[in-house]
Each structure stands twice: as C-alpha cells, then as structure tokens.
C-alpha cells in the first residue's frame, strides 16, 4: 500500500487497519478558465487535504487519482481536453497507525 503525506494529511492508496470513516470526497481540476494540464498531483492533494481538514479528518483512504479526457463538447469550452481527478474517503486514524 502506497502512503504519502501532504500538508499534514496522510494519503493511503488502500485502507489502514484502524480508521473512522467520515465522508467520501471527489474532486476534478479543470474548467473553462482553468488549465488542467498545467496542474499536478500536488494540486489534487492540496485540495483534498483542505477538505479533509475542514471535515475533521487526518487521512484520505482508498485514494485514487489520475487524468481523464473530457467530452468533445467540454473540450470546445475548456482550454484543455484533460482534467485531473482525485477520489477517496476522508477518515480519522489513531496517531500510531
């Protein structure tokens, strides 16, 4: 299981042994005035970490991320035809986990 830390929030690409699930989180970086291809995984983690802190969590479990193409109509309206995404579950884990 891959584990990383970004701005005080731990990201698990799986599930730790002990956790208290708080809520699901999904984000997508892109839009009409945004250049999503200039964004990075760091930007995805920053937004997800902010949401975790606001929810009272200290981890994101089942973290998945990547880039996905937008539909042809959205690609006409946007500057880029690819958006970054991140999915996971905001949770709390004990400090020892």
């Amino acid at each position: 299981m891959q584990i990383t830390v970004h701005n005080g929030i731990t990201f698990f690409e799986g599930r730790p042994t002990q956790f208290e699930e708080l809520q699901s989180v999904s984000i997508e970086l892109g839009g009409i005035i945004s250049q999503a291809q200039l964004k990075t995984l760091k930007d995805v983690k920053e937004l997800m970490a902010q949401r975790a802190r606001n929810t009272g969590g200290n981890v994101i479990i089942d973290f998945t991320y990547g880039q996905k193409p937008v539909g042809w109509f959205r690609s006409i309206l946007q500057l880029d035809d690819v958006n970054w995404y991140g999915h996971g579950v905001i949770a709390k884990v004990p400090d020892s986990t």
Side-chain angles (χ1 to χ4, degrees), residues 5-6 25 34 38 54-55 61 66 71 74 77 80 84 95 97:
V5 178
H6 183 81
V25 61
S34 174
L38 298 178
N54 292 343
T55 305
I61 62 173
R74 280 182 65 186
L77 299 174
D80 295 322
W84 275 96
D95 290 335
T97 302

Side-chain angles (χ1 to χ4, degrees), residues 38-90:
L38 298 178
K39 302 290 184 181
T40 66
L41 178 56
K42 180 180 176 182
D43 297 304
V44 171
K45 287 183 176 180
E46 180 61 39
L47 186 55
M48 292 183 79
Q50 181 180 15
R51 290 195 184 171
R53 280 190 299 277
N54 292 343
T55 305
N58 62 352
V59 300
I60 306 276
I61 62 173
D62 292 334
F63 177 55
T64 59
Y65 61 92
Q67 289 182 308
K68 64 180 179 179
V70 298
W72 69 270
F73 184 72
R74 280 182 65 186
S75 69
I76 293 170
L77 299 174
Q78 290 185 203
L79 296 173
D80 295 322
D81 60 355
V82 175
N83 288 348
W84 275 96
Y85 69 87
H87 306 291
V89 176
I90 297 170

